[in-house]
Amino acid sequence: MALLRIEDLNIDYMTLRGRLRAVKNASLTLGEGEWLSIVGESGSGKSTLAMAIPGLLLPPGRIASGRIIFQGRDLTGMSRDELRRIRGSEIGVVFQDPLTSLDPLRTIGDQMVEAIMEHRAADSKREALEMASAALESVGIPGNRVKYYPHQLSGGQRQRVMIAMAVMLKPRLLIADEPTTALDVIVQASIMRLLKSLQRKMGMSIILITHDIALAAEVSDRIAVMYAAEIVEEGPAEQVIEEPLHPYTEALIKSTPDLWREKTLYSIPGNPPDLRNPPSGCRFHPRCHKAFEPCKSREPRPTRIRGRTVACHLYG
Ligand code: SF4
């Protein structure tokens, strides 16, 4: 059985200028122990999709329709309290900037103990502190740093603390939303290695949200590519990278810097569309060099081809 199944999910934001569909007809499946990366430009809907899973969509965002089935239960029908119980214990979340998630006035240990006690995962504060200290050790930070305040740690260490907090109750799924964007390349690599080793050790599944398809290629089992609120291609990472089917995936790969490639870096012409008024037909058609007759007028439907799902008229 799949750990997570997203079925035909639609998410709207109500804005002063009208309704904006931020995620349109998204369907995905994630297996136990699998790593899925959701890739796309800013505003493509990837973070909105990921945050909807553990019930972290903020108003004016709302799920308009569809289902999110996690371990056989539909999360879209759950109350805030039920979702709060699932977050942290069954689904862990790591955000881009640890400074905005950690309270600067309280020690790391205090914050970890509070989360452990809230989920009733320890019988006493002393036991919770021991768990917090062990969780820090598991991400490569000495356990006695529970006494530290967030400002006493480097950016990379703070992100490790966030990861420790997210996995300390052994969730089945970890969602990491651009966890390394604020970090330098060396620290980024060490955080990715840490996530990979935790995934293997704990057997948990990971959803990584990233704009960096090269990073996704290195760590993922599967990759889903989003453009203008839609999943345009999804499949095994190696296939998506080696032989992209959708012209947008192909363009994303071509626009990735490569030290060994002498050619000038490709840039996708034009800009992502305004989601309040997206282009007719295929949303990528104004920027697509392969666009042909039906692309302007007809929306492409997701099609299964060569073990992948792709939404493009080139594939029937
Ligand atoms: Fe390009 Fe047409 Fe495919 Fe859209 S449907 S990606 S415009 S070829």
Side-chain angles (χ1 to χ4, degrees), residues 10-76:
N10 287 291
I11 301 174
D12 291 344
Y13 282 98
M14 299 312 292
T15 72
L16 290 176
R17 284 164 55 203
R19 188 192 74 167
L20 180 156
R21 181 140 287 183
V23 172
K24 185 166 176 272
N25 301 125
S27 292
L28 279 174
T29 301
L30 179 69
E32 292 272 3
E34 248 183 357
W35 183 315
L36 167 77
S37 292
I38 306 180
V39 179
E41 292 166 287
S42 300
S44 59
K46 56 191 189 304
S47 290
T48 301
L49 172 58
M51 288 306 121
I53 298 167
L56 286 174
L57 264 188
L58 293 174
R62 67 175 192 99
I63 293 176
S65 61
R67 302 201 306 162
I68 300 171
I69 311 291
F70 176 69
Q71 293 191 315
R73 295 161 295 169
D74 186 358
L75 302 185
T76 60

Short mmCIF file of all heavy atoms in Angstrom, two decimals, residues 10-76:
data_model
loop_
_atom_site.label_atom_id
_atom_site.label_comp_id
_atom_site.label_asym_id
_atom_site.label_seq_id
_atom_site.Cartn_x
_atom_site.Cartn_y
_atom_site.Cartn_z
N ASN A 10 -7.15 20.19 -5.71
CA ASN A 10 -7.22 21.59 -6.16
C ASN A 10 -7.13 22.50 -4.94
O ASN A 10 -7.85 22.28 -3.96
CB ASN A 10 -8.54 21.85 -6.89
CG ASN A 10 -8.55 21.19 -8.25
OD1 ASN A 10 -7.83 21.59 -9.15
ND2 ASN A 10 -9.35 20.14 -8.41
N ILE A 11 -6.24 23.49 -5.01
CA ILE A 11 -6.09 24.43 -3.89
C ILE A 11 -6.24 25.86 -4.42
O ILE A 11 -5.61 26.23 -5.41
CB ILE A 11 -4.70 24.26 -3.22
CG1 ILE A 11 -4.54 22.84 -2.70
CG2 ILE A 11 -4.52 25.27 -2.09
CD1 ILE A 11 -3.16 22.52 -2.15
N ASP A 12 -7.08 26.63 -3.73
CA ASP A 12 -7.33 28.03 -4.15
C ASP A 12 -6.84 29.02 -3.12
O ASP A 12 -6.83 28.73 -1.92
CB ASP A 12 -8.86 28.25 -4.31
CG ASP A 12 -9.42 27.50 -5.49
OD1 ASP A 12 -8.63 27.06 -6.34
OD2 ASP A 12 -10.66 27.34 -5.54
N TYR A 13 -6.48 30.18 -3.59
CA TYR A 13 -6.27 31.34 -2.71
C TYR A 13 -7.30 32.37 -3.12
O TYR A 13 -7.44 32.67 -4.32
CB TYR A 13 -4.87 31.94 -2.89
CG TYR A 13 -3.79 31.14 -2.18
CD1 TYR A 13 -3.02 30.23 -2.88
CD2 TYR A 13 -3.58 31.30 -0.82
CE1 TYR A 13 -2.05 29.48 -2.24
CE2 TYR A 13 -2.60 30.55 -0.17
CZ TYR A 13 -1.85 29.65 -0.87
OH TYR A 13 -0.89 28.90 -0.23
N MET A 14 -8.06 32.88 -2.15
CA MET A 14 -9.01 33.94 -2.47
C MET A 14 -8.28 35.26 -2.29
O MET A 14 -7.83 35.58 -1.20
CB MET A 14 -10.22 33.87 -1.53
CG MET A 14 -11.00 32.56 -1.63
SD MET A 14 -11.38 32.03 -3.33
CE MET A 14 -12.54 33.30 -3.79
N THR A 15 -8.10 36.01 -3.36
CA THR A 15 -7.39 37.28 -3.29
C THR A 15 -8.37 38.41 -3.58
O THR A 15 -9.51 38.17 -4.01
CB THR A 15 -6.25 37.33 -4.33
OG1 THR A 15 -6.83 37.48 -5.62
CG2 THR A 15 -5.39 36.08 -4.30
N LEU A 16 -7.92 39.66 -3.34
CA LEU A 16 -8.80 40.80 -3.60
C LEU A 16 -9.16 40.88 -5.07
O LEU A 16 -10.20 41.42 -5.44
CB LEU A 16 -8.11 42.11 -3.17
CG LEU A 16 -7.94 42.26 -1.65
CD1 LEU A 16 -7.16 43.52 -1.33
CD2 LEU A 16 -9.30 42.27 -0.95
N ARG A 17 -8.29 40.33 -5.92
CA ARG A 17 -8.57 40.38 -7.36
C ARG A 17 -9.21 39.08 -7.87
O ARG A 17 -9.19 38.80 -9.05
CB ARG A 17 -7.28 40.69 -8.12
CG ARG A 17 -6.94 42.19 -7.99
CD ARG A 17 -5.52 42.49 -8.39
NE ARG A 17 -5.18 42.03 -9.72
CZ ARG A 17 -3.94 41.78 -10.12
NH1 ARG A 17 -2.94 41.95 -9.27
NH2 ARG A 17 -3.70 41.38 -11.34
N GLY A 18 -9.72 38.30 -6.95
CA GLY A 18 -10.44 37.09 -7.36
C GLY A 18 -9.73 35.81 -6.97
O GLY A 18 -8.70 35.84 -6.29
N ARG A 19 -10.29 34.69 -7.41
CA ARG A 19 -9.77 33.39 -7.03
C ARG A 19 -8.50 33.03 -7.83
O ARG A 19 -8.44 33.29 -9.03
CB ARG A 19 -10.83 32.33 -7.32
CG ARG A 19 -10.47 30.97 -6.78
CD ARG A 19 -11.38 29.91 -7.32
NE ARG A 19 -11.06 29.63 -8.72
CZ ARG A 19 -11.52 28.59 -9.39
NH1 ARG A 19 -12.34 27.76 -8.82
NH2 ARG A 19 -11.19 28.39 -10.66
N LEU A 20 -7.55 32.49 -7.12
CA LEU A 20 -6.32 32.06 -7.78
C LEU A 20 -6.16 30.56 -7.49
O LEU A 20 -6.13 30.17 -6.33
CB LEU A 20 -5.17 32.87 -7.21
CG LEU A 20 -3.75 32.66 -7.68
CD1 LEU A 20 -2.95 33.92 -7.41
CD2 LEU A 20 -3.09 31.48 -6.98
N ARG A 21 -6.12 29.76 -8.53
CA ARG A 21 -5.93 28.31 -8.31
C ARG A 21 -4.43 28.03 -8.27
O ARG A 21 -3.75 28.10 -9.29
CB ARG A 21 -6.64 27.52 -9.41
CG ARG A 21 -6.50 26.04 -9.22
CD ARG A 21 -7.75 25.26 -9.53
NE ARG A 21 -8.79 25.44 -8.51
CZ ARG A 21 -9.96 24.83 -8.51
NH1 ARG A 21 -10.24 23.99 -9.46
NH2 ARG A 21 -10.85 25.04 -7.56
N ALA A 22 -3.93 27.74 -7.06
CA ALA A 22 -2.49 27.58 -6.87
C ALA A 22 -2.01 26.16 -7.13
O ALA A 22 -0.83 25.94 -7.41
CB ALA A 22 -2.11 27.98 -5.45
N VAL A 23 -2.93 25.19 -7.01
CA VAL A 23 -2.62 23.80 -7.36
C VAL A 23 -3.83 23.27 -8.12
O VAL A 23 -4.96 23.40 -7.65
CB VAL A 23 -2.36 22.94 -6.10
CG1 VAL A 23 -2.23 21.47 -6.46
CG2 VAL A 23 -1.10 23.41 -5.38
N LYS A 24 -3.58 22.67 -9.29
CA LYS A 24 -4.70 22.26 -10.15
C LYS A 24 -4.59 20.77 -10.48
O LYS A 24 -3.58 20.33 -11.04
CB LYS A 24 -4.64 23.09 -11.43
CG LYS A 24 -5.78 22.87 -12.37
CD LYS A 24 -5.81 23.97 -13.44
CE LYS A 24 -6.88 23.70 -14.45
NZ LYS A 24 -6.44 22.89 -15.56
N ASN A 25 -5.60 20.03 -10.07
CA ASN A 25 -5.71 18.61 -10.41
C ASN A 25 -4.43 17.81 -10.15
O ASN A 25 -4.00 17.03 -11.00
CB ASN A 25 -6.11 18.43 -11.88
CG ASN A 25 -7.42 19.11 -12.21
OD1 ASN A 25 -7.49 19.93 -13.12
ND2 ASN A 25 -8.46 18.81 -11.46
N ALA A 26 -3.85 18.01 -8.96
CA ALA A 26 -2.59 17.31 -8.66
C ALA A 26 -2.87 15.89 -8.18
O ALA A 26 -3.70 15.69 -7.29
CB ALA A 26 -1.81 18.07 -7.59
N SER A 27 -2.19 14.93 -8.77
CA SER A 27 -2.28 13.54 -8.31
C SER A 27 -0.86 12.99 -8.21
O SER A 27 -0.05 13.17 -9.12
CB SER A 27 -3.08 12.69 -9.30
OG SER A 27 -4.44 13.09 -9.30
N LEU A 28 -0.58 12.34 -7.07
CA LEU A 28 0.77 11.80 -6.83
C LEU A 28 0.65 10.58 -5.92
O LEU A 28 -0.28 10.52 -5.11
CB LEU A 28 1.63 12.81 -6.08
CG LEU A 28 2.31 13.95 -6.81
CD1 LEU A 28 2.98 14.86 -5.80
CD2 LEU A 28 3.34 13.43 -7.80
N THR A 29 1.61 9.69 -6.02
CA THR A 29 1.67 8.57 -5.07
C THR A 29 3.09 8.47 -4.53
O THR A 29 4.04 8.66 -5.28
CB THR A 29 1.31 7.24 -5.80
OG1 THR A 29 0.00 7.40 -6.34
CG2 THR A 29 1.29 6.07 -4.84
N LEU A 30 3.18 8.21 -3.22
CA LEU A 30 4.50 8.08 -2.60
C LEU A 30 4.53 6.75 -1.85
O LEU A 30 3.68 6.49 -1.00
CB LEU A 30 4.73 9.25 -1.63
CG LEU A 30 6.04 9.26 -0.87
CD1 LEU A 30 7.21 9.54 -1.81
CD2 LEU A 30 6.02 10.33 0.22
N GLY A 31 5.55 5.94 -2.15
CA GLY A 31 5.67 4.64 -1.49
C GLY A 31 6.42 4.76 -0.17
O GLY A 31 7.07 5.77 0.11
N GLU A 32 6.35 3.69 0.64
CA GLU A 32 7.11 3.63 1.90
C GLU A 32 8.60 3.73 1.59
O GLU A 32 9.09 3.02 0.71
CB GLU A 32 6.86 2.28 2.60
CG GLU A 32 5.46 2.12 3.12
CD GLU A 32 5.31 2.66 4.54
OE1 GLU A 32 6.29 3.20 5.07
OE2 GLU A 32 4.20 2.53 5.09
N GLY A 33 9.30 4.60 2.31
CA GLY A 33 10.75 4.71 2.17
C GLY A 33 11.21 5.40 0.90
O GLY A 33 12.40 5.45 0.61
N GLU A 34 10.26 5.96 0.12
CA GLU A 34 10.63 6.62 -1.14
C GLU A 34 10.96 8.09 -0.92
O GLU A 34 10.40 8.73 -0.05
CB GLU A 34 9.44 6.54 -2.12
CG GLU A 34 9.70 5.66 -3.29
CD GLU A 34 8.54 5.65 -4.27
OE1 GLU A 34 7.49 6.27 -4.05
OE2 GLU A 34 8.70 4.98 -5.28
N TRP A 35 11.79 8.63 -1.80
CA TRP A 35 12.12 10.07 -1.78
C TRP A 35 11.57 10.68 -3.06
O TRP A 35 12.00 10.33 -4.16
CB TRP A 35 13.63 10.25 -1.71
CG TRP A 35 14.07 11.69 -1.60
CD1 TRP A 35 13.61 12.75 -2.32
CD2 TRP A 35 15.06 12.23 -0.71
NE1 TRP A 35 14.23 13.91 -1.94
CE2 TRP A 35 15.13 13.62 -0.97
CE3 TRP A 35 15.89 11.68 0.27
CZ2 TRP A 35 16.02 14.45 -0.27
CZ3 TRP A 35 16.76 12.52 0.95
CH2 TRP A 35 16.81 13.89 0.68
N LEU A 36 10.61 11.58 -2.89
CA LEU A 36 10.02 12.28 -4.03
C LEU A 36 10.41 13.75 -3.94
O LEU A 36 10.22 14.37 -2.90
CB LEU A 36 8.49 12.17 -3.99
CG LEU A 36 7.72 13.09 -4.94
CD1 LEU A 36 7.77 12.57 -6.38
CD2 LEU A 36 6.27 13.25 -4.51
N SER A 37 10.97 14.28 -5.01
CA SER A 37 11.25 15.72 -5.03
C SER A 37 10.24 16.40 -5.95
O SER A 37 9.98 15.91 -7.05
CB SER A 37 12.67 16.00 -5.54
OG SER A 37 13.60 15.54 -4.59
N ILE A 38 9.68 17.52 -5.47
CA ILE A 38 8.77 18.31 -6.30
C ILE A 38 9.54 19.56 -6.71
O ILE A 38 10.00 20.33 -5.87
CB ILE A 38 7.48 18.67 -5.55
CG1 ILE A 38 6.82 17.40 -5.00
CG2 ILE A 38 6.52 19.42 -6.48
CD1 ILE A 38 5.51 17.62 -4.24
N VAL A 39 9.70 19.70 -8.03
CA VAL A 39 10.59 20.71 -8.58
C VAL A 39 9.78 21.73 -9.39
O VAL A 39 8.82 21.36 -10.06
CB VAL A 39 11.61 20.02 -9.52
CG1 VAL A 39 12.54 21.01 -10.16
CG2 VAL A 39 12.40 18.97 -8.77
N GLY A 40 10.20 22.98 -9.35
CA GLY A 40 9.54 24.00 -10.19
C GLY A 40 10.03 25.38 -9.81
O GLY A 40 10.70 25.56 -8.79
N GLU A 41 9.68 26.36 -10.66
CA GLU A 41 10.06 27.75 -10.38
C GLU A 41 9.24 28.28 -9.21
O GLU A 41 8.24 27.68 -8.81
CB GLU A 41 9.79 28.62 -11.62
CG GLU A 41 10.69 28.32 -12.80
CD GLU A 41 10.18 28.95 -14.10
OE1 GLU A 41 9.17 28.46 -14.65
OE2 GLU A 41 10.78 29.92 -14.56
N SER A 42 9.64 29.47 -8.69
CA SER A 42 8.85 30.12 -7.64
C SER A 42 7.43 30.34 -8.15
O SER A 42 7.25 30.74 -9.31
CB SER A 42 9.42 31.49 -7.30
OG SER A 42 10.71 31.34 -6.86
N GLY A 43 6.46 30.10 -7.30
CA GLY A 43 5.07 30.35 -7.68
C GLY A 43 4.44 29.21 -8.49
O GLY A 43 3.31 29.33 -8.93
N SER A 44 5.17 28.09 -8.63
CA SER A 44 4.60 26.99 -9.43
C SER A 44 3.57 26.19 -8.63
O SER A 44 2.85 25.37 -9.19
CB SER A 44 5.72 26.05 -9.91
OG SER A 44 6.43 25.53 -8.80
N GLY A 45 3.54 26.39 -7.30
CA GLY A 45 2.54 25.69 -6.48
C GLY A 45 3.14 24.54 -5.68
O GLY A 45 2.43 23.87 -4.94
N LYS A 46 4.46 24.33 -5.80
CA LYS A 46 5.06 23.15 -5.15
C LYS A 46 4.98 23.23 -3.62
O LYS A 46 4.65 22.25 -2.96
CB LYS A 46 6.51 22.94 -5.64
CG LYS A 46 7.44 24.12 -5.46
CD LYS A 46 8.74 23.89 -6.21
CE LYS A 46 9.80 24.94 -5.88
NZ LYS A 46 9.41 26.34 -6.09
N SER A 47 5.27 24.41 -3.04
CA SER A 47 5.20 24.52 -1.57
C SER A 47 3.76 24.45 -1.10
O SER A 47 3.46 23.84 -0.06
CB SER A 47 5.81 25.85 -1.10
OG SER A 47 7.20 25.80 -1.29
N THR A 48 2.85 25.08 -1.85
CA THR A 48 1.43 25.03 -1.47
C THR A 48 0.94 23.59 -1.43
O THR A 48 0.27 23.17 -0.49
CB THR A 48 0.59 25.84 -2.49
OG1 THR A 48 1.08 27.17 -2.50
CG2 THR A 48 -0.88 25.84 -2.14
N LEU A 49 1.33 22.81 -2.44
CA LEU A 49 0.93 21.40 -2.49
C LEU A 49 1.49 20.65 -1.28
O LEU A 49 0.77 19.92 -0.59
CB LEU A 49 1.44 20.78 -3.81
CG LEU A 49 1.29 19.27 -3.97
CD1 LEU A 49 -0.17 18.85 -3.84
CD2 LEU A 49 1.83 18.80 -5.32
N ALA A 50 2.78 20.87 -0.99
CA ALA A 50 3.40 20.13 0.11
C ALA A 50 2.82 20.54 1.46
O ALA A 50 2.59 19.70 2.33
CB ALA A 50 4.91 20.37 0.10
N MET A 51 2.56 21.84 1.65
CA MET A 51 2.05 22.30 2.94
C MET A 51 0.60 21.87 3.19
O MET A 51 0.14 21.81 4.32
CB MET A 51 2.18 23.82 3.06
CG MET A 51 3.60 24.29 3.24
SD MET A 51 4.41 23.47 4.63
CE MET A 51 5.80 22.69 3.85
N ALA A 52 -0.12 21.58 2.10
CA ALA A 52 -1.50 21.11 2.27
C ALA A 52 -1.53 19.72 2.90
O ALA A 52 -2.50 19.36 3.58
CB ALA A 52 -2.20 21.09 0.91
N ILE A 53 -0.47 18.95 2.70
CA ILE A 53 -0.48 17.55 3.18
C ILE A 53 -0.63 17.50 4.71
O ILE A 53 -1.55 16.85 5.23
CB ILE A 53 0.79 16.79 2.70
CG1 ILE A 53 0.81 16.74 1.16
CG2 ILE A 53 0.81 15.37 3.29
CD1 ILE A 53 2.15 16.30 0.57
N PRO A 54 0.23 18.22 5.48
CA PRO A 54 0.07 18.14 6.93
C PRO A 54 -0.89 19.20 7.50
O PRO A 54 -0.89 19.47 8.69
CB PRO A 54 1.50 18.40 7.43
CG PRO A 54 2.12 19.27 6.40
CD PRO A 54 1.45 18.96 5.10
N GLY A 55 -1.70 19.82 6.64
CA GLY A 55 -2.69 20.80 7.11
C GLY A 55 -2.07 22.13 7.48
O GLY A 55 -2.53 22.80 8.40
N LEU A 56 -1.01 22.53 6.77
CA LEU A 56 -0.34 23.79 7.09
C LEU A 56 -0.63 24.89 6.07
O LEU A 56 0.13 25.85 5.97
CB LEU A 56 1.18 23.56 7.19
CG LEU A 56 1.63 22.83 8.45
CD1 LEU A 56 3.13 22.53 8.39
CD2 LEU A 56 1.32 23.62 9.71
N LEU A 57 -1.72 24.75 5.34
CA LEU A 57 -2.10 25.82 4.41
C LEU A 57 -2.62 26.99 5.23
O LEU A 57 -3.48 26.81 6.08
CB LEU A 57 -3.25 25.35 3.52
CG LEU A 57 -2.98 24.79 2.15
CD1 LEU A 57 -4.31 24.59 1.44
CD2 LEU A 57 -2.07 25.70 1.35
N LEU A 58 -2.12 28.17 4.95
CA LEU A 58 -2.59 29.32 5.72
C LEU A 58 -3.69 30.05 4.94
O LEU A 58 -3.62 30.12 3.71
CB LEU A 58 -1.43 30.29 5.98
CG LEU A 58 -0.34 29.77 6.91
CD1 LEU A 58 0.82 30.75 6.97
CD2 LEU A 58 -0.90 29.50 8.30
N PRO A 59 -4.72 30.61 5.64
CA PRO A 59 -5.71 31.41 4.93
C PRO A 59 -5.00 32.57 4.23
O PRO A 59 -4.01 33.06 4.78
CB PRO A 59 -6.62 31.93 6.05
CG PRO A 59 -6.29 31.09 7.25
CD PRO A 59 -4.92 30.56 7.07
N PRO A 60 -5.43 32.98 3.05
CA PRO A 60 -6.67 32.61 2.37
C PRO A 60 -6.57 31.34 1.51
O PRO A 60 -7.41 31.16 0.64
CB PRO A 60 -6.94 33.83 1.51
CG PRO A 60 -5.56 34.32 1.14
CD PRO A 60 -4.68 34.03 2.31
N GLY A 61 -5.58 30.48 1.78
CA GLY A 61 -5.48 29.25 1.00
C GLY A 61 -6.48 28.22 1.52
O GLY A 61 -6.73 28.15 2.72
N ARG A 62 -7.06 27.44 0.63
CA ARG A 62 -7.98 26.38 1.07
C ARG A 62 -8.04 25.28 0.02
O ARG A 62 -7.87 25.55 -1.18
CB ARG A 62 -9.38 26.91 1.37
CG ARG A 62 -10.09 27.39 0.15
CD ARG A 62 -11.52 27.79 0.40
NE ARG A 62 -12.16 27.96 -0.90
CZ ARG A 62 -12.93 27.07 -1.49
NH1 ARG A 62 -13.20 25.94 -0.90
NH2 ARG A 62 -13.44 27.30 -2.68
N ILE A 63 -8.26 24.06 0.52
CA ILE A 63 -8.42 22.93 -0.41
C ILE A 63 -9.82 23.02 -1.00
O ILE A 63 -10.82 23.01 -0.27
CB ILE A 63 -8.20 21.60 0.32
CG1 ILE A 63 -6.72 21.49 0.75
CG2 ILE A 63 -8.58 20.42 -0.57
CD1 ILE A 63 -6.38 20.28 1.57
N ALA A 64 -9.89 23.16 -2.33
CA ALA A 64 -11.20 23.29 -2.98
C ALA A 64 -11.81 21.91 -3.24
O ALA A 64 -13.02 21.73 -3.11
CB ALA A 64 -11.05 24.06 -4.29
N SER A 65 -10.98 20.94 -3.60
CA SER A 65 -11.48 19.58 -3.81
C SER A 65 -10.30 18.61 -3.89
O SER A 65 -9.15 19.03 -3.97
CB SER A 65 -12.29 19.51 -5.11
OG SER A 65 -11.47 19.83 -6.21
N GLY A 66 -10.62 17.33 -3.85
CA GLY A 66 -9.57 16.31 -3.93
C GLY A 66 -9.33 15.65 -2.58
O GLY A 66 -9.93 16.04 -1.57
N ARG A 67 -8.45 14.66 -2.58
CA ARG A 67 -8.19 13.91 -1.34
C ARG A 67 -6.69 13.74 -1.12
O ARG A 67 -5.91 13.68 -2.07
CB ARG A 67 -8.83 12.52 -1.44
CG ARG A 67 -10.33 12.56 -1.69
CD ARG A 67 -11.03 11.28 -1.28
NE ARG A 67 -10.45 10.09 -1.89
CZ ARG A 67 -10.67 8.85 -1.43
NH1 ARG A 67 -11.41 8.66 -0.37
NH2 ARG A 67 -10.13 7.80 -2.03
N ILE A 68 -6.32 13.68 0.16
CA ILE A 68 -4.92 13.38 0.53
C ILE A 68 -4.99 12.17 1.45
O ILE A 68 -5.37 12.29 2.62
CB ILE A 68 -4.27 14.57 1.27
CG1 ILE A 68 -4.28 15.83 0.39
CG2 ILE A 68 -2.85 14.23 1.69
CD1 ILE A 68 -3.86 17.10 1.11
N ILE A 69 -4.67 11.01 0.92
CA ILE A 69 -4.80 9.77 1.69
C ILE A 69 -3.42 9.42 2.26
O ILE A 69 -2.49 9.12 1.50
CB ILE A 69 -5.30 8.60 0.82
CG1 ILE A 69 -6.54 9.01 0.01
CG2 ILE A 69 -5.58 7.37 1.67
CD1 ILE A 69 -7.78 9.25 0.83
N PHE A 70 -3.30 9.48 3.59
CA PHE A 70 -2.05 9.16 4.26
C PHE A 70 -2.28 7.95 5.16
O PHE A 70 -3.13 8.00 6.04
CB PHE A 70 -1.59 10.36 5.09
CG PHE A 70 -0.34 10.11 5.90
CD1 PHE A 70 0.89 9.94 5.28
CD2 PHE A 70 -0.41 10.01 7.28
CE1 PHE A 70 2.03 9.69 6.03
CE2 PHE A 70 0.72 9.77 8.04
CZ PHE A 70 1.95 9.61 7.40
N GLN A 71 -1.56 6.88 4.91
CA GLN A 71 -1.72 5.62 5.65
C GLN A 71 -3.20 5.23 5.72
O GLN A 71 -3.71 4.87 6.79
CB GLN A 71 -1.13 5.75 7.04
CG GLN A 71 0.38 5.92 6.98
CD GLN A 71 1.06 5.78 8.33
OE1 GLN A 71 0.60 6.33 9.32
NE2 GLN A 71 2.14 5.05 8.38
N GLY A 72 -3.88 5.37 4.60
CA GLY A 72 -5.27 4.92 4.51
C GLY A 72 -6.31 5.91 5.03
O GLY A 72 -7.50 5.66 4.94
N ARG A 73 -5.87 7.07 5.60
CA ARG A 73 -6.85 8.04 6.13
C ARG A 73 -6.83 9.31 5.28
O ARG A 73 -5.75 9.78 4.90
CB ARG A 73 -6.49 8.42 7.57
CG ARG A 73 -6.59 7.28 8.55
CD ARG A 73 -5.81 7.58 9.82
NE ARG A 73 -4.38 7.66 9.54
CZ ARG A 73 -3.47 8.12 10.39
NH1 ARG A 73 -3.83 8.55 11.57
NH2 ARG A 73 -2.19 8.16 10.05
N ASP A 74 -8.01 9.89 5.05
CA ASP A 74 -8.09 11.12 4.25
C ASP A 74 -7.82 12.34 5.15
O ASP A 74 -8.64 12.68 6.02
CB ASP A 74 -9.48 11.23 3.60
CG ASP A 74 -9.55 12.43 2.65
OD1 ASP A 74 -8.55 13.17 2.52
OD2 ASP A 74 -10.62 12.60 2.02
N LEU A 75 -6.68 13.00 4.94
CA LEU A 75 -6.31 14.13 5.80
C LEU A 75 -7.20 15.35 5.54
O LEU A 75 -7.32 16.21 6.40
CB LEU A 75 -4.84 14.52 5.56
CG LEU A 75 -3.79 13.43 5.81
CD1 LEU A 75 -2.38 14.00 5.65
CD2 LEU A 75 -3.93 12.81 7.20
N THR A 76 -7.80 15.43 4.34
CA THR A 76 -8.58 16.64 4.03
C THR A 76 -9.86 16.71 4.89
O THR A 76 -10.42 17.78 5.07
CB THR A 76 -9.00 16.70 2.55
OG1 THR A 76 -9.79 15.55 2.25
CG2 THR A 76 -7.80 16.74 1.62
#
